[in-house]
Amino acid sequence: MQVDVAICLVTHDSAADMAGCMAAIAALRSPPAEIAVVDSGSRDGSLEEARRTAPPGVPLIAQAHAANVGFAAGMNAAIAATRSPYVLTLNADARPEPDYLDRLLARMAAHPRLRVAAVTGRLVRTAAADGPRRLDACGMRLTRAWRHLDRGSGEIDRGQWSVAERVFGATGAASLFRREALLDAAVAGEVFDPRFHSFREDAELCFRLRERGWEVLYEPSAVAEHRRFNLPERRAAMPPWVNLHSLKNRYLLRIYHQTGRNLARTLLPTLGRDLGALAWVLLRERSSLGAYGWLLRHRAELLARRRAIQRRRTAPAAELDAWFGRQGAPL
């Protein structure tokens, strides 16, 4: 059965990626009902390139922000500008295969007894000419140190992670969301939290979805290529402001979502990670020290948002705690 899907993209100096991204969208076996592109302070003509290369016959909504407002704020604007009951969030450097959307939709429809909020696929990295294909993301998992990691990230693709299952979360790079779930998890009208700006905004959304009783699934037969740049091993090559946001956002996740029960269960690994991060910042990355000051200055606002999030919880805290240290769960 044909269903309407909005494809939502946020661009920032993404002109070089737009032709390939739009070509992949045009090749989808089930074309989207609408495409929304929100540009976040680009200086390379990203939005003009999006208009030029967009597939004909599909309504295109194009918006521009003068400043770089970040992925979360940009995606909120893109979602608000569309009306379809399903939303595919897509990075400009992602290339879904022609059946990608069909397979995600089929997996979502296959489990009517589950409250499925999102389905994510098997993301693979762009292969070097003389190298093996590596995995990029096969769903998201949580560690007991409060890290959220993409399953399979960096592994040579040998067919592992081949079973459809429940996962903690879905990457914003190429995942299908049910609009009803996004609106249900929104706080003060915000689907993604713009305070995250760069990094971890998709994980934070998945916390809220699970706290409202929604499920996230992984479909291995849905394949998309993703040319990812921001990786932990490339931290030294990333701009200082990006690293500052990355550090800040790890604490935002816990301010919003950590319970007393979880604190007791994860205290030692999390404390060790925090002390390691502080030592790194003091010794090697002093440009990120401002993250601690930002959290202190905004503490009243952040605690108010935490209260708003916690008041809306419908799922027991134990259900979310069970995802810490778990790779996945059977359907």
Side-chain angles (χ1 to χ4, degrees):
M1 182 178 65
Q2 181 69 36
V3 297
D4 287 346
V5 177
I7 296 183
C8 294
L9 297 98
V10 178
T11 55
H12 175 68
D13 291 338
S14 308
D17 284 318
M18 290 314 304
C21 183
M22 289 299 183
I25 292 173
L28 290 171
R29 291 176 186 168
S30 296
E34 51 190 339
I35 301 170
V37 180
V38 174
D39 186 69
S40 187
S42 290
R43 295 168 293 179
D44 66 348
S46 294
L47 204 57
E48 292 75 10
E49 186 68 2
R51 291 190 181 103
R52 187 185 72 80
T53 58
V58 180
L60 175 68
I61 303 156
Q63 298 180 9
H65 292 269
N68 182 2
V69 297
F71 176 89
M75 190 56 70
N76 285 346
I79 293 169
T82 58
R83 293 293 177 266
S84 299
Y86 297 91
V87 172
L88 180 71
T89 60
L90 193 66
N91 280 7
D93 58 3
R95 306 288 184 268
E97 292 191 353
D99 63 352
Y100 189 74
L101 194 50
D102 292 334
R103 291 184 180 276
L104 296 183
L105 286 166
R107 176 56 60 191
M108 187 173 282
H111 306 280
R113 295 187 179 182
L114 292 178
R115 295 183 75 217
V116 180
V119 186
T120 191
R122 184 183 186 86
L123 274 62
V124 299
R125 294 183 187 167
T126 305
D130 57 348
R133 186 171 83 167
R134 293 185 180 272
L135 297 174
D136 183 67
C138 298
M140 188 185 295
R141 66 182 179 92
L142 294 176
T143 75
R144 290 185 175 86
W146 270 79
R147 296 192 72 185
H148 55 91
L149 301 175
D150 292 314
R151 304 190 314 166
S153 178
E155 297 175 4
I156 295 175
D157 187 356
R158 297 188 174 94
Q160 67 273 46
W161 305 106
S162 60
V163 177
E165 57 188 337
R166 298 162 56 220
V167 290
F168 165 73
T171 174
S175 292
L176 180 71
F177 292 88
R178 193 186 301 269
R179 184 180 295 270
E180 175 191 356
L182 294 178
L183 297 180
D184 181 61
V187 177
E190 296 172 339
V191 174
F192 289 93
D193 185 347
R195 296 160 191 81
F196 279 71
H197 194 282
S198 306
F199 290 122
R200 311 184 202 278
E201 64 285 306
D202 45 9
E204 197 278 326
L205 171 61
C206 291
F207 269 98
R208 281 185 279 122
L209 287 168
R210 288 207 161 275
E211 288 164 353
R212 294 286 293 170
W214 292 95
E215 281 287 353
V216 182
L217 309 183
Y218 164 65
E219 174 50 59
S221 69
V223 178
E225 186 178 276
H226 184 213
R227 183 182 52 76
R228 186 188 297 265
F229 176 75
N230 290 342
L231 291 165
E233 57 266 31
R234 296 176 183 162
R235 187 176 181 95
M238 288 188 279
W241 64 269
V242 172
N243 288 334
L244 186 150
H245 280 299
S246 177
L247 178 64
K248 165 182 67 72
N249 294 349
R250 76 160 59 174
Y251 295 106
L252 277 184
L253 278 178
R254 280 151 53 196
I255 289 170
Y256 290 168
H257 300 289
Q258 189 165 41
T259 63
R261 179 179 186 272
N262 180 272
L263 176 64
R265 294 183 64 219
T266 63
L267 178 61
L268 290 180
T270 303
L271 181 60
R273 183 174 176 233
D274 288 346
L275 292 174
L278 179 60
W280 173 264
V281 169
L282 289 173
L283 297 175
R284 300 288 300 275
E285 194 181 281
R286 296 184 66 84
S287 58
S288 292
L289 276 172
Y292 298 104
W294 188 95
L295 292 165
L296 184 63
R297 291 193 304 274
H298 292 83
R299 62 188 182 279
E301 172 193 350
L302 301 179
L303 291 174
R305 189 170 179 89
R306 172 189 168 83
R307 289 191 292 271
I309 290 170
Q310 294 299 318
R311 280 196 300 266
R312 302 187 71 251
R313 292 184 72 127
T314 58
E319 288 187 8
L320 199 147
D321 281 354
W323 284 101
F324 285 82
R326 179 193 286 180
Q327 294 282 356
L331 283 167

